Amino acid sequence: MAREAGTSRSTASRALSGQGYVAAHIREDVLAAAQRIGYVPDALARTLKAQRSNVVGLLVSDLRNQFYAELAAGVEQALRAAGYQMVLVDDHGDPQQELDGAKAFVAMRATGVVLTPAAAAATELLVERGVSVVEADRRSGARGCDSVIIDSEYGAREATRHLLELGHRRIALLIDETKWATGAERLRGYRAAHRAADVPLDRRLVLDLEFQAADARSRVAELLDQHPDVTAIFAVNNLMAETAWLELRRRGLAVPRDVSLVSFDDLAWMRMVEPGLTAVAQPTYDMGRRAAELLLGRVAEREAAAESKRGPGRRRIQETLEPTLVLRGSTAAPAASPTGA
Amino acid sequence: MAREAGTSRSTASRALSGQGYVAAHIREDVLAAAQRIGYVPDALARTLKAQRSNVVGLLVSDLRNQFYAELAAGVEQALRAAGYQMVLVDDHGDPQQELDGAKAFVAMRATGVVLTPAAAAATELLVERGVSVVEADRRSGARGCDSVIIDSEYGAREATRHLLELGHRRIALLIDETKWATGAERLRGYRAAHRAADVPLDRRLVLDLEFQAADARSRVAELLDQHPDVTAIFAVNNLMAETAWLELRRRGLAVPRDVSLVSFDDLAWMRMVEPGLTAVAQPTYDMGRRAAELLLGRVAEREAAAESKRGPGRRRIQETLEPTLVLRGSTAAPAASPTGA
DNA sequence: CTGTTAGCGCATTCAC
DNA sequence: GTGAATGCGCTAACAG
């Protein structure tokens, strides 16, 4: 390539990068030559030299779930706007695969990683290796990383409060991971709303699917069989809402007449069905964008510090985005005489 | 790291890679040292040296559209299983952004690229630079690449035939790009079915949205206003189906009593609504997987050729996957006396 | 079996 | 202003 331009490699490098002195006409020549032979600088070699890549990793739990796809789209958008590339790994919510993904990211010297943690190990590994990390949607509890999440407790509380205010007293909760993070917060919100309304909790109405989504449908059926006095269901994510919706329909139960239904996470289909689903809408795309922005900010900061200024490295940033309860037709006051009582 | 193990770099390298001779006890030491300091080999440097990376690019049109998310998930799955990383770029269907994405891929020396082409330029650029390319869902017409697509004409023909057999004669087609590839094929299928059934075509019933999805809703409304004798709608992708569904409901038209509706592309919501949507189901995830597999096969082949064998480079592979018409409640015979006639 | 040497493509000194 | 030399982390070839 330098040969094509009839100059030395250094000069060519300077001409292309715009760094350092180079005669105007020489630059022309070089640019023309580059154009001619379709020269594209090797980002790898540049990274090796500069010790800083422009790739950022994204680790999500399930790309086929619209929620994560939306998140990924937001991250990609912000990243690409800033000239970064996104390497995407789908760990299927498996801590082991998550860890493998994290290792792959350090192997490829990713500048930073955005992830929806399934465990703390991945974040810890990354942070220890000096990779900037931003957790999204969940917080693993690992130290040294920023995070941006949705206020799950608030969202769950609002959804539950809405049902309680309508007069529901037997509200089933469909949830999938109560030990931790998002799941725990939503459970807390559900409880807090009950407490605030002075309505007693019934543990048997809380269906914790843990990690087995496989038999979700039958577990829901079982719960409805055992507790025919349930007048409302709060599904803690879009998958659960889907399961609940299908099961209610299979049983021929009318929504909201027989049972009211609320979803946490508002997808397009929820306004397509009749009645539309009342749902807690999350700014998912924005959460992705914000996570990427935080990451980029951190990277810039770190570079400035390395450059010279001895930046003290600000405290971790923990952002919380507010969800919104969207009222649609799937929630109404319970029938005067409950189905089962 | 070599220092930590008390040996030379080459020896360490051999121990870790398993290539070449290394005394057993020395290998132990090296492995232990690597473990201790948490050494992770630099994939970049390795790539630079080996002149072959293990990253593959994926270029899609809209990650927020479930169709592409599904495709991406399939690609990712196959890639990761083979030890490759996926770099994802969302070009929003814009040829310019697509080209930029392609350039980024050659800059990072991606081994191959899977893409859903918006134009031929990106594929051409890639192929010319020696990057293996597999096109998915669409064929740009560029040479030198493999492809895997869904049989759009067949799917469209089946969907249309289904409507014709039910007795519909005025079938509106909602389509978004008839000049090219997938859109053109679906239009052809729609026509072929009419021809086979000896039903005359009415061009005015073909609503070509081109690229402006923005006013899709109003355009559909307009069409329904002008042609009240339409008894069925065939929406050529999931977005169109969504638009049609919402517009029909807004007008208070009953599906399928007043108007039947068929979608090309079957999403989860289509079986959640009442009545369920009859749809042409595509093996989208599998298409993604298959595309990645073809790509990997091509890469392996090329390496074998470079290695020694002078492989002649097989002819391009063009796979076609069959879609399936899924019958649900949204299609039925037209009412005896059409709404408008 | 192990250490030394060299070079992948780039950017950055440093002489000229 | 420009070119020659150096090194980023790795591995393949060679010599010991």
Side-chain angles (χ1 to χ4, degrees), chain B residues 79-313:
Chain B
L79 250 28
R80 199 157 43 85
Y84 283 75
Q85 307 295 131
M86 178 179 88
V87 177
L88 176 57
V89 171
D90 185 342
D91 60 31
H92 299 279
D94 174 5
Q96 184 54 52
Q97 295 192 50
E98 182 183 33
L99 200 52
D100 291 345
K103 280 181 188 150
F105 290 150
V106 350
M108 70 194 325
R109 300 299 186 258
T111 294
V113 171
V114 172
L115 49 72
T116 56
T123 302
E124 284 163 357
L125 174 78
L126 258 6
V127 169
E128 189 185 350
R129 289 286 178 299
V131 180
S132 298
V133 175
V134 175
E135 294 186 336
D137 185 52
R138 293 188 282 268
R139 290 205 251 263
S140 71
R143 302 177 322 151
C145 66
D146 298 335
S147 61
V148 42
I149 62 173
I150 304 287
D151 192 338
S152 277
E153 184 183 340
Y154 167 77
R157 201 168 56 228
E158 285 300 287
T160 310
R161 189 169 64 78
H162 168 59
L163 291 171
L164 288 167
E165 282 178 356
L166 285 172
H168 294 277
R169 288 299 172 264
R170 304 289 289 165
I171 304 173
L173 179 69
L174 269 36
I175 195 164
D176 68 346
E177 224 296 67
T178 56
K179 308 267 178 302
W180 199 62
T182 304
E185 282 192 42
R186 291 180 192 177
L187 175 57
R188 206 179 315 143
Y190 168 84
R191 284 185 175 144
H194 277 79
R195 211 177 313 119
D198 219 15
V199 172
L201 273 166
D202 184 347
R203 282 168 173 271
R204 294 168 306 173
L205 299 189
V206 175
L207 180 60
D208 186 352
L209 270 333
E210 308 231 329
F211 293 112
Q212 31 254 21
D215 62 341
R217 185 83 169 265
S218 59
R219 296 281 299 280
V220 172
E222 199 178 314
L223 180 137
L224 291 174
D225 282 338
Q226 288 171 3
H227 302 282
D229 59 339
V230 161
T231 60
I233 297 178
F234 176 25
V236 94
N237 62 39
N238 70 59
L239 262 22
M240 300 273 168
E242 185 168 330
T243 302
W245 176 263
L246 290 173
E247 180 57 22
L248 288 175
R249 208 171 56 180
R250 195 184 65 76
R251 303 186 150 235
L253 289 174
V255 175
R257 193 167 48 85
D258 300 326
V259 178
S260 284
L261 178 59
V262 183
S263 163
F264 200 117
D265 197 16
D266 182 27
L267 298 192
W269 70 262
M270 298 178 184
R271 64 162 213 268
M272 312 285 290
V273 297
E274 191 64 47
L277 254 61
T278 291
V280 180
Q282 311 185 76
T284 313
Y285 184 83
D286 286 338
M287 178 163 66
R289 278 215 335 220
R290 196 73 195 109
E293 286 167 8
L294 284 183
L295 188 63
L296 264 20
R298 209 47 112 165
V299 168
E301 176 184 307
R302 212 175 44 179
E303 274 171 22
E307 190 96 6
S308 58
K309 310 180 182 176
R310 287 290 81 213

Side-chain angles (χ1 to χ4, degrees), chain A residues 7-8 10-11 14 22-23 26 49 51:
Chain A
T7 175
S8 75
S10 342
T11 308
R14 278 187 290 250
V22 81
I26 295 278
K49 176 68 179 166
Q51 298 293 62

Side-chain angles (χ1 to χ4, degrees), chain A residues 59-65 68 89-101 115-120 122 137-138 176-177 180 210-212 239, chain B residues 76 80:
Chain A
L59 208 38
V60 297
S61 301
D62 179 13
L63 191 55
R64 302 179 78 170
N65 183 331
Y68 294 104
V89 171
D90 185 343
D91 60 31
H92 300 278
D94 174 5
Q96 184 53 51
Q97 295 191 50
E98 182 183 32
L99 200 53
D100 292 345
L115 49 72
T116 56
D137 185 53
R138 294 189 281 269
D176 69 347
E177 225 296 67
W180 200 61
E210 310 230 327
F211 293 112
Q212 32 254 21
L239 262 22
Chain B
E76 197 271 348
R80 199 157 43 85

Side-chain angles (χ1 to χ4, degrees), chain B residues 16-89:
Chain B
L16 291 171
S17 69
Q19 304 283 12
Y21 301 103
V22 136
H25 66 280
I26 295 279
R27 166 178 290 127
E28 303 283 315
D29 289 358
V30 173
L31 262 39
Q35 188 71 21
R36 193 162 53 247
I37 66 175
Y39 169 81
V40 177
D42 188 327
L44 262 44
R46 179 178 297 166
T47 295
L48 186 60
K49 174 70 180 163
Q51 298 294 58
R52 59 168 294 283
S53 79
N54 65 159
V55 338
V56 166
L58 172 62
L59 208 36
V60 297
S61 303
D62 179 14
L63 191 55
R64 302 178 79 169
N65 183 331
Q66 258 188 89
F67 174 80
Y68 294 104
E70 191 89 356
L71 183 78
V75 171
E76 197 271 348
Q77 147 72 27
L79 250 28
R80 199 157 43 85
Y84 283 75
Q85 307 295 131
M86 178 179 88
V87 177
L88 176 57
V89 171

Side-chain angles (χ1 to χ4, degrees), chain B residues 7-8 10-11 14 22-23 26 49 51:
Chain B
T7 174
S8 77
S10 345
T11 307
R14 279 187 290 252
V22 136
I26 295 279
K49 174 70 180 163
Q51 298 294 58

